[in-house]
Each structure stands twice: as structure tokens, then as C-alpha cells.
């Protein structure tokens, strides 16, 4: 992207005076700044240089260093398709930076997460309640000095096999933002986190006046299972199963995104067959994800037939992927520098059969709901999101595209083999539920189109790079020669040695920009793995789509966003 | 034969014993084919839960299909996926809201033991807070495994005592 490169040069020369250090790292401009100049620099990035999408904020803990914490920000320009990373250091004694909430709406949720995980205080952000954790949790779990297994149970454990401690009062894990209505007639209702009509563990505290939603307070975090902490205690390869379980609807996309981040750090160039296979499998996974999302959203509105059609075809996909990878849902198929294994015999023939059946089944769903009066009444003009709001709240993926802008990482900054493919980026008209449904349906068509192209152009050759740093030697060599035996032993026991540094990989996940920010201290286990998850960001702006509509509209609106708990709460 | 005041065991007649065993068998037979599950769905296992309850695997065939979306109307609590500490008060409350008789199924390794999430956030198995009747391993379990689990639970229900009037009858 020449305009993007120009922009980065302009940023570098324009902001160089305010930065302590500048440099390029894996295509991202890195600016090391002082904590005081954070807001001015971010403000200029947004207003002067057009970095309108706030991707992410996280921190890195270096207990042996003064100052102890790095606070790391990522920004994206939706016009020039380039990314900037801001880094600032804060002391342990006073880990305070200024908030970016006045500039970017999406900062609100992300700063809450960073605050509870690392104890970074964001001056000016008045809502720093626990988000992924719960009320009463003491400490900051992602700090290096927090022991991984220190639990803080909310409910007393049972002592013997059949005993049940008496139920006294159960603690409330959250503190709602409001307990009183604004007007005398309004009522406060609680939806979730175990609600039959929301797929995913989300809790929405809503104030309603009649049937109309006045304001909402969205709580996620009920599926927070310590992904980032687990990563730090596993080797680079061993943590891939955890990565799978982020967005479990399309686990392969996560796998490949994570591997790409590590490959960037190691400077690995994939083999052509691996690049194409990863693209193919990622698109196949995307179809499975969209099928799940649309099926669940339709079922929640009562369209059981559509659900059964889509889950049936999804099951064919699962079995087919199981033939290639060994598992139906959580594949663990990505390897750093390649793939777990090559395709089995006859896999591509079966693929064509499934795609043909998929056309039929998806066509039936189109026929059932597209022009269905009930469906249109529930979907059209409900949960409307304007493009400007969507970008301000950090939205990406199908939700952003439904508002009418064709922003797609696969098109804007092509990775893997996307540059060689012919595909369209479907967009919506006004960003309502119907558009989100239709964008997903159209994306499935595009993915099928891409898969067919990839089958035709799939090159032969090895799937793993020939690199002793990451690829395991062939099994027969391990048994017959000492070098391979040692190589195998070192890779398994000590893990891949990834050079010091940090990298951010970004792919188009099924729900939006999925990013992995990995930091290596030069050892066999990562120092930090942070996932920029689209679902989490979408939950931060969900209230905009709920307020002003009816209580019953919460269900289709929430369903059309496709929040995936594993990815949202990590 | 008074139903409210049980006879001392040595005074029970052979006919009474016979009636009791056949009664338990009868009630167990009825109950095992009318399981109304409450899906407490949290995580990845939900994908397999969707598969197992829809066309290709169809738990309807086992009399365990119709999910009741309120715990008060259901008798099988299916805990599908990881339960975090934040979720535990909700799980305990849902369990308490269910009427007797009730059974609990831990669907997947996370619900059974915490799986490979052994850290500050995840509960190491739901049996730490509620009693569990059936554990289904797998991450996530294949649909066949779930069906096998349902059948095992049905066997268990069929073999249980089913007091319906008081503790003894």
C-alpha cells in the first residue's frame, strides 16, 4: 500500500518530536512515548492522520524492570489500512495513564479490562468496575506475581461426595451501573447470564419504560477462563489448543492467526501449499461460523426449520474437517511454520459434494426467511448502527460491513493467499439486523467461491517449512540419527525458541478483526499473548444497538452480532 | 398399608416388598423416557450440544429432547462447557430452582474437572459446588458420546429408588 506507507512516513515525521523512539516492526509503526503525551499523540493520530479505529489496549508486565509496565495501544486507519502501535511505560508505584475515552468510545471497555488484569489506572475513565472478573476479586491476575492457580471462589466448595453446603445468600458477581430508574414508571430487568434466548453467557441489565429499552448495562466475563495466563505457562506450540477455544465456531482461523504472529517474530515464510491450504481451511471455517451464527439467531426467533437445515450442513462440514484434522470442533491444526498434517485422500472430492449440498440448504433458508413478513418485521430497522458510530466503537467484520463500508482485512491488507483470489466484500445498507443477517449469508457464498478457486490452484509440495527451529524432524530420522533426536527433544521439551520481540498479527476473523499481540522474551514460552477479540469490542458498543428498541428486540439484535463467549471473555 | 407411617421393616409383607420394587421400576421407566433437560450452556461444548440435539443425532429418539428453558420445569441439568468462578453463583441458583427429582450431567471435561483450564478463573469441575450424576469426557465430546451418556443416565434412573409419597414409598 503506497498511500499507507506514505501515511506512516508522515506520522513518523509529524509525531517524531513527541516520541521517545520510533521504528517499524512487521509493518506496524511503533511509537514509544511518554505517558504525559499519550492523549495529545492519540488525538493527533485520530484527527490529523485519520487513525479512526481504536483496536486495542493492553499492558505488558516486566517485574524486573523499572518502570515495570508497558501500556500498549494499537490504532488502525480505515482509509489507508495501516496500523500504529503506541507504547508508554508506567511505574508500579503509580501505574496511571490518561484515558482515551473522549477520543474513542471503544476505549471504555478495553480500559476496564486492562485495569482489572494489570492494575493500570486510567485517569478520567469513571467506569472501572470489574468486567471479566467479578466483584470482590483481589489482585490483578495477569501480573506476573499473581500465581496462576490462586482461586478466589465465590461459592463454598462441597466437602464430601453428596453434601451440599446450605444455601445462605449467593453473592452477586457484578455491580450494575444503575439500580434506580430514570423515570418513576420505568422498570429494571435483568437478562442472563443463563438465558434461554441468548446464545452465549452475557448479562444485560436493562431499564425499560413500557416495552421500550431506555438504557442498558452489558456485562460479559462469565466465560473468562484465563486464556492469557495459561498461555504464559505453556510453550509456543503447546498453547495452540487454548487458541482453538477462543472462537470455537471457527477455531482454524484462530489457529492460523496465532501461528502467523509467531511466524512474524521468527521471520518464517510459509510454503505455497501451506498458504493455500490455510486460506482454504480458514474460509471453510468461516462458513461453519456463519452457519452457526445465522442458525442460532434464526432459532431464537422461532425459525426452527432453518436452524435444522443449517446445523445439518454444518455437521457435514464438521465431519469433513474431522477427516482432515482429527477433531470436529477444536482442531489444533495450525503449527508454527505449517500445518498438523496434509489433506487425506479424497478430501477435495467430498468438499465439492458438501459445497453443492450447502448451496441447496442455504438456498432453502433464503427461501424460508428472506421475504418472510414476520422475519422482516423483527429484523428491518431494528438495532441500527451508523458507520461513524461503528468505527468509533471499534467495530469490524460483518457488523461494520453491514453499515455500508467494505472494510475487510482480506481485501485491504491481504495475507495468506487472499491477494490471488477473486472475491467481493458484501456490504449492507443501513446496519440493521437484516443487513447483518444478509451480509453473513452473502459472505458464505463468497467463501464458497473462494474455496472453489483454491481447490483449482492448490499447489503441490510440502506443508511445513524446512526449518529446524520450529518443524519437527521426520519420525524415522528421530529413531535413526542423533541430530534429529536432539532436535526433536529440544523442540518438545524446551519449546520453540522465539527471538525477543513483539508482533501483532491481524486477520479477518468470522466476527471481525482478530489480532494476536505476542511478546517474546526469547525463551520457549511466550512472555505474553494477547488476543484482540472482535466479540469483546462489539459487546462494548452493544448498548447502542439495544437502546430505543423494544425489549423483545434484544434477542435478534444480540443474535445477529454473534458474540462468542470464548473469544469475548477469553 | 398406610402411606404416611412406614411399617418397621421386619413387619413388611412379601407382597408389599414386591409392590415396592415393581413401583420403582415402573416410575423409573416412566421417568427415564421423560427427561426434560435444562441446557446450562456456556462454552465450546455448545457446538456439540447443537449438533446432538438436531437432525443427524436427534436426542428425541431417547426421550430426552425437549429443552425446558426454565429450571423449574426441568429435571436434567446439562452443564455444557466451562464454568468460571464468576458463573458459580448462577449455577448454584439454577440447581436450587430445579424441583426433585433432578439429575445433573457434566457435559465435557471443563464441566467435569475444569479440563485444561487449571487457573484462577475456571472452576475445577462443577462437582465442587453441586452433586453430579454423570460425567461425559471429551473436549468437546462427540455426539455419540453424549448419546451414550444419556443412555447411561437412563439406566441409572431406571435402577434408582423412586420415593414418590414419602421417603420409603
Amino acid at each position: 500500500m503506497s498511500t499507507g506507507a506514505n501515511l506512516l512516513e508522515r506520522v513518523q515525521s509529524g509525531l517524531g518530536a513527541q516520541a521517545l523512539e520510533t521504528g517499524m516492526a512487521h509493518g506496524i509503526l511503533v511509537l514509544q512515548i511518554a505517558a504525559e503525551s499519550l492523549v495529545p499523540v492519540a488525538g493527533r493520530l485520530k484527527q490529523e492522520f485519520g487513525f479512526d479505529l481504536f483496536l486495542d489496549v493492553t499492558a505488558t508486565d516486566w517485574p524486573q524492570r523499572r518502570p515495570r509496565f508497558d501500556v500498549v495501544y494499537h490504532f488502525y486507519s480505515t482509509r489507508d489500512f495501516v496500523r500504529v502501535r503506541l507504547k508508554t511505560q508506567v511505574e508500579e508505584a503509580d501505574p496511571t495513564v490518561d484515558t482515551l475515552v473522549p477520543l474513542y468510545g471503544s476505549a471504555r471497555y478495553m480500559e476496564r479490562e486492562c485495569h482489572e488484569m494489570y492494575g493500570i489506572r486510567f485517569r478520567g475513565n469513571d467506569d472501572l468496575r470489574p468486567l471479566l472478573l467479578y466483584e470482590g476479586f483481589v489482585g490483578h491476575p495477569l501480573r506476573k506475581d499473581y500465581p496462576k492457580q490462586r482461586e478466589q471462589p465465590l461459592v463454598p466448595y462441597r466437602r464430601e461426595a453428596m453434601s451440599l453446603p446450605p444455601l445462605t445468600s449467593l453473592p452477586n458477581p457484578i455491580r450494575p451501573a444503575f439500580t434506580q430508574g430514570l423515570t418513576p414508571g420505568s422498570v429494571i430487568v435483568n437478562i442472563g447470564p443463563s438465558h434461554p434466548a441468548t446464545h452465549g453467557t452475557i448479562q444485560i441489565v436493562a431499564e425499560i419504560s413500557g416495552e421500550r429499552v431506555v438504557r442498558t448495562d452489558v456485562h460479559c466475563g462469565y466465560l473468562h477462563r484465563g486464556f492469557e495466563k495459561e498461555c504464559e505457562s505453556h510453550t509456543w506450540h503447546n498453547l495452540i489448543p487454548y487458541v482453538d477455544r477462543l472462537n470455537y465456531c471457527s477455531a482454524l482461523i484462530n489457529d492460523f492467526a496465532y501461528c502467523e504472529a509467531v511466524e512474524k517474530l521468527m521471520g518464517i515464510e510459509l510454503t505455497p501449499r501451506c498458504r493455500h491450504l490455510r486460506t482454504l481451511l480458514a474460509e471453510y471455517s468461516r462458513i461453519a461460523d456463519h452457519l452457526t451464527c445465522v442458525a442460532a439467531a434464526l432459532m431464537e426467533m422461532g425459525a426452527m426449520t432453518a436452524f435444522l437445515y443449517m446445523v445439518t450442513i454444518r455437521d457435514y462440514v464438521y465431519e469433513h474437517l474431522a477427516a482432515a484434522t482429527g477433531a470436529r470442533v477444536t482442531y489444533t491444526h495450525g503449527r508454527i511454520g505449517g500445518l498438523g498434517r496434509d489433506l487425506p485422500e479424497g478430501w477435495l472430492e467430498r468438499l465439492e459434494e458438501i459445497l453443492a449440498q450447502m448451496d441447496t440448504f442455504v438456498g432453502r433458508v433464503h427461501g424460508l426467511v428472506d421475504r418472510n413478513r414476520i422475519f422482516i418485521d423483527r429484523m428491518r430497522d431494528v438495532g441500527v448502527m451508523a458507520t461513524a458510530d461503528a468505527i468509533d466503537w471499534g467495530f469490524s467484520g460483518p457488523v461494520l460491513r453491514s453499515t455500508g463500508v467494505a472494510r475487510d482485512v482480506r481485501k485491504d491488507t491481504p495475507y495468506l493467499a487472499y491477494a490471488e483470489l477473486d472475491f467481493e466484500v458484501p456490504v449492507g445498507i443501513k446496519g440493521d439486523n437484516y443487513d447483518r443477517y444478509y451480509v453473513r449469508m452473502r459472505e458464505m457464498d463468497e467463501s464458497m467461491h473462494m474455496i472453489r478457486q483454491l481447490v483449482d490452484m492448490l499447489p503441490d509440495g510440502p506443508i511445513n517449512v524446512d526449518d529446524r527451529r520450529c518443524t519437527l524432524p521426520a519420525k524415522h530420522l528421530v529413531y535413526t540419527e542423533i541430530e534429529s533426536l536432539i532436535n526433536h527433544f529440544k523442540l518438545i521439551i524446551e519449546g520453540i525458541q522465539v527471538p525477543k520481540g513483539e508482533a501483532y498479527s491481524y486477520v479477518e476473523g468470522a466476527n471481525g478483526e482478530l489480532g494476536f499481540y505476542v511478546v517474546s522474551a526469547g525463551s520457549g514460552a511466550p512472555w505474553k499473548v494477547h488476543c484482540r477479540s472482535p466479540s469483546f469490542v462489539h459487546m462494548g458498543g452493544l448498548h447502542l444497538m439495544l437502546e430505543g428498541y423494544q425489549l423483545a428486540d434484544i434477542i435478534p439484535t444480540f443474535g445477529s452480532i454473534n458474540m462468542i463467549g470464548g473469544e469475548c471473555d477469553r | 398399608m398406610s402411606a404416611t407411617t412406614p411399617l418397621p421393616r421386619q413387619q413388611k409383607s412379601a407382597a408389599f416388598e414386591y409392590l415396592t420394587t415393581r413401583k420403582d421400576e415402573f416410575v423409573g421407566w416412566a421417568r427415564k423416557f421423560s427427561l426434560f433437560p435444562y441446557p446450562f450452556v456456556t462454552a465450546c461444548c455448545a457446538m456439540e450440544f447443537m449438533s446432538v440435539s438436531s437432525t443427524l443425532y436427534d436426542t428425541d429418539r431417547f426421550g430426552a429432547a425437549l429443552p425446558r428453558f426454565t429450571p423449574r420445569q426441568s429435571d436434567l441439568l446439562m452443564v455444557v462447557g466451562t464454568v468460571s468462578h464468576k458463573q458459580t453463583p448462577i449455577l448454584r441458583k439454577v440447581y436450587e430452582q430445579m424441583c426433585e427429582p433432578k439429575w445433573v450431567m457434566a457435559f465435557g471435561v471443563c464441566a467435569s474437572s475444569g479440563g485444561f483450564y487449571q487457573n484462577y478463573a475456571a472452576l475445577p469441575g462443577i462437582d465442587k459446588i453441586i452433586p453430579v450424576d454423570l460425567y461425559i469426557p471429551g473436549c468437546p465430546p462427540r455426539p455419540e458420546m453424549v448419546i451414550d451418556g444419556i443412555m447411561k443416565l437412563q439406566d441409572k434412573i431406571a435402577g434408582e429408588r423412586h420415593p414418590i409419597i414419602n421417603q420409603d414409598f
Side-chain angles (χ1 to χ4, degrees):
Chain A
M1 275 302 150
S2 58
T3 57
N6 281 342
L7 177 70
L8 288 187
E9 272 172 30
R10 280 198 290 126
V11 173
Q12 201 161 1
S13 54
L15 292 175
Q18 279 166 287
L20 307 172
E21 218 182 297
T22 63
M24 290 291 291
H26 309 292
I28 294 179
L29 177 66
V30 186
L31 297 173
Q32 181 87 40
I33 53 170
E36 305 82 61
S37 51
L38 175 71
V39 173
V41 169
R44 284 187 64 196
L45 273 180
K46 185 182 180 191
Q47 268 117 32
E48 211 173 304
F49 301 104
F51 285 86
D52 45 2
L53 196 76
F54 179 56
L55 287 174
D56 198 19
V57 54
T58 185
T60 319
D61 182 8
W62 305 94
Q64 310 302 330
R65 197 190 70 181
R66 296 288 306 274
R68 181 172 166 181
F69 297 103
D70 276 333
V71 188
V72 186
Y73 297 80
H74 284 96
F75 301 88
Y76 180 57
S77 159
T78 58
R79 198 186 57 209
D80 295 298
F81 317 137
V82 282
R83 289 168 176 78
V84 164
R85 179 184 306 146
L86 291 187
K87 286 175 72 176
T88 180
Q89 297 186 340
V90 289
E91 287 282 355
E92 184 183 0
D94 180 30
T96 308
V97 288
D98 286 317
T99 178
L100 294 188
V101 170
L103 290 169
Y104 300 97
S106 51
R108 199 182 62 140
Y109 238 47
M110 295 187 226
E111 288 180 350
R112 268 173 82 178
E113 187 211 345
C114 190
H115 170 257
E116 64 182 344
M117 290 297 164
Y118 286 97
I120 308 290
R121 281 193 295 273
F122 292 89
R123 197 186 297 116
N125 187 339
D126 52 4
D127 182 14
L128 290 174
R129 290 171 297 152
L131 182 63
L132 299 185
L133 299 172
Y134 37 89
E135 292 294 325
F137 192 94
V138 182
H140 305 288
L142 286 185
R143 286 191 175 185
K144 292 283 178 187
D145 49 16
Y146 190 94
K148 190 183 108 184
Q149 284 180 309
R150 184 190 285 164
E151 295 175 77
Q152 304 188 21
L154 280 177
V155 175
Y157 284 178
R158 299 163 65 225
R159 288 186 194 281
E160 298 133 34
M162 288 315 287
S163 75
L164 200 57
L167 190 68
T168 45
S169 70
L170 289 169
N172 188 359
I174 60 139
R175 179 156 43 98
F178 47 83
T179 48
Q180 296 284 314
L182 292 172
T183 52
S186 63
V187 179
I188 291 173
V189 292
N190 173 62
I191 302 162
S194 179
H195 189 271
T198 58
H199 57 276
T201 48
I202 193 88
Q203 184 172 13
I204 300 169
V205 181
E207 179 185 343
I208 52 171
S209 169
E211 278 289 310
R212 202 148 291 277
V213 177
V214 181
R215 54 181 171 155
T216 54
D217 182 22
V218 180
H219 292 268
C220 55
Y222 284 96
L223 192 53
H224 176 64
R225 37 190 184 180
F227 163 74
E228 292 175 28
K229 195 76 175 174
E230 285 287 358
C231 286
E232 290 168 14
S233 61
H234 287 74
T235 60
W236 292 95
H237 252 151
N238 282 7
L239 63 87
I240 292 180
Y242 291 98
V243 176
D244 264 327
R245 285 154 183 80
L246 287 172
N247 183 346
Y248 35 77
C249 294
S250 51
L252 286 170
I253 300 180
N254 304 333
D255 272 12
F256 302 152
Y258 163 72
C259 289
E260 193 189 317
V262 184
E263 284 152 8
K264 275 184 180 177
L265 270 181
M266 297 180 74
I268 290 171
E269 183 78 27
L270 293 175
T271 63
R273 184 170 175 83
C274 175
R275 269 194 312 125
H276 284 77
L277 265 183
R278 277 193 186 180
T279 320
L280 191 157
L281 291 169
E283 286 312 308
Y284 208 28
S285 242
R286 188 184 316 279
I287 293 179
D289 190 297
H290 286 347
L291 281 172
T292 312
C293 165
V294 175
L298 289 174
M299 178 191 64
E300 283 152 12
M301 281 185 292
M304 197 68 194
T305 316
F307 170 79
L308 292 176
Y309 279 153
M310 296 186 116
V311 174
T312 303
I313 194 74
R314 191 193 68 161
D315 230 80
Y316 296 160
V317 176
Y318 275 0
E319 284 300 335
H320 194 217
L321 280 171
T325 65
R328 278 166 54 94
V329 181
T330 44
Y331 311 102
T332 317
H333 193 49
R335 296 287 184 277
I336 293 156
L339 288 170
R341 65 180 94 165
D342 208 334
L343 296 179
E345 278 296 301
W347 198 83
L348 293 174
E349 290 75 43
R350 174 73 182 137
L351 178 65
E352 187 41 53
E353 283 172 31
I354 290 178
L355 290 185
Q357 274 173 318
M358 202 180 286
D359 272 333
T360 321
F361 276 75
V362 171
R364 285 183 198 165
V365 175
H366 273 301
L368 277 172
V369 298
D370 278 8
R371 287 163 177 273
N372 185 320
R373 186 75 253 165
I374 304 167
F375 182 71
I376 293 172
D377 285 348
R378 298 281 317 262
M379 302 291 266
R380 235 332 155 212
D381 294 317
V382 174
V384 179
M385 190 84 180
T387 307
D389 282 341
I391 289 178
D392 183 40
W393 287 89
F395 284 29
S396 53
V399 184
L400 177 61
R401 288 194 283 278
S402 73
T403 67
V405 282
R407 287 289 73 84
D408 189 320
V409 182
R410 292 172 292 172
K411 204 73 164 179
D412 302 338
T413 49
Y415 55 99
L416 292 177
Y418 287 108
E420 301 161 40
L421 299 177
D422 164 48
F423 64 100
E424 285 173 13
V425 178
V427 295
I429 306 164
K430 49 176 141 174
D432 59 5
N433 284 342
Y434 194 88
D435 282 346
R436 286 192 279 275
Y437 154 77
Y438 220 92
V439 164
R440 285 211 165 81
M441 293 294 267
R442 280 282 296 115
E443 275 187 21
M444 280 196 267
D445 297 342
E446 290 301 323
S447 293
M448 281 189 239
H449 182 48
M450 277 187 250
I451 290 174
R452 289 194 167 114
Q453 293 173 56
L454 283 160
V455 170
D456 289 338
M457 62 167 79
L458 198 62
D460 286 329
I463 49 163
N464 285 318
V465 291
D466 185 19
D467 190 335
R468 293 213 159 188
R469 291 179 302 159
C470 61
T471 308
L472 289 177
K475 205 71 177 178
H476 69 275
L477 293 178
V478 177
Y479 290 131
T480 50
E481 58 171 56
I482 188 69
E483 291 85 358
S484 297
L485 179 68
I486 295 172
N487 187 207
H488 187 275
F489 181 84
K490 296 278 251 188
L491 284 181
I492 296 293
I493 302 296
E494 290 174 5
I496 295 175
Q497 303 298 309
V498 176
K500 255 186 195 175
E502 52 184 12
Y504 177 77
S505 74
Y506 39 91
V507 303
E508 184 68 29
N511 291 326
E513 173 164 336
L514 174 69
F516 280 94
Y517 173 64
V518 296
V519 180
S520 171
S523 70
W527 189 255
K528 175 187 173 65
V529 176
H530 176 72
C531 170
R532 190 268 175 201
S533 74
S535 291
F536 177 68
V537 184
H538 291 165
M539 286 306 105
L542 177 65
H543 60 283
L544 292 179
M545 301 187 212
L546 302 179
E547 288 165 7
Y549 299 98
Q550 298 206 339
L551 184 65
D553 293 334
I554 289 180
I555 303 304
T557 305
F558 180 73
S560 73
I561 293 170
N562 194 23
M563 173 273 205
I564 304 293
E567 177 187 75
C568 175
D569 303 339
R570 282 156 287 152
Chain B
M1 242 186 325
S2 160
T4 46
T5 51
L7 297 168
R9 186 158 279 277
Q10 66 271 26
Q11 289 176 21
K12 277 182 184 169
S13 69
F16 185 86
E17 292 277 299
Y18 179 76
L19 182 65
T20 321
T21 30
R22 301 309 289 179
K23 183 267 304 175
D24 279 338
E25 244 171 67
F26 174 70
V27 177
W29 172 81
R31 280 182 175 165
K32 79 173 189 178
F33 288 125
S34 59
L35 286 172
F36 289 94
Y38 176 84
F40 190 87
V41 174
T42 59
C44 336
C45 286
M47 298 297 110
E48 288 297 26
F49 177 75
M50 281 165 82
S51 289
V52 81
S53 54
S54 63
T55 320
L56 294 180
Y57 294 96
D58 192 12
T59 41
D60 226 344
R61 297 175 291 159
F62 303 92
L66 191 66
R68 306 306 301 175
F69 286 120
T70 161
R72 292 166 212 278
Q73 296 175 354
S74 54
D75 41 24
L76 170 61
L77 178 62
M78 288 174 110
V79 182
V80 183
T82 322
V83 174
S84 64
H85 282 299
K86 190 173 181 177
Q87 188 80 275
T88 48
I90 291 98
L91 178 62
R92 178 74 198 269
K93 191 178 253 176
V94 166
Y95 178 78
E96 296 295 340
Q97 284 174 342
M98 291 171 66
C99 298
E100 293 283 355
K102 55 187 171 188
W103 296 276
V104 179
M105 173 195 284
F107 188 123
V109 284
C110 285
S112 303
S113 70
F116 68 179
Y117 292 103
Q118 301 294 329
N119 59 34
Y120 65 92
L123 179 72
I126 56 165
D127 55 4
K128 287 274 186 293
I129 56 163
I130 55 173
V132 178
D133 295 274
L134 181 81
Y135 301 86
I136 302 180
C139 189
R142 280 190 62 92
E144 291 87 344
M145 186 99 93
V146 183
I147 289 173
D148 185 50
I150 290 174
M151 282 157 49
K152 284 213 163 62
L153 181 67
Q154 288 177 325
D155 289 348
K156 181 182 156 127
I157 293 171
E160 269 179 353
R161 285 194 66 245
H162 292 277
I164 48 176
I165 295 170
N166 63 13
Q167 236 177 354
D168 294 293
F169 189 79

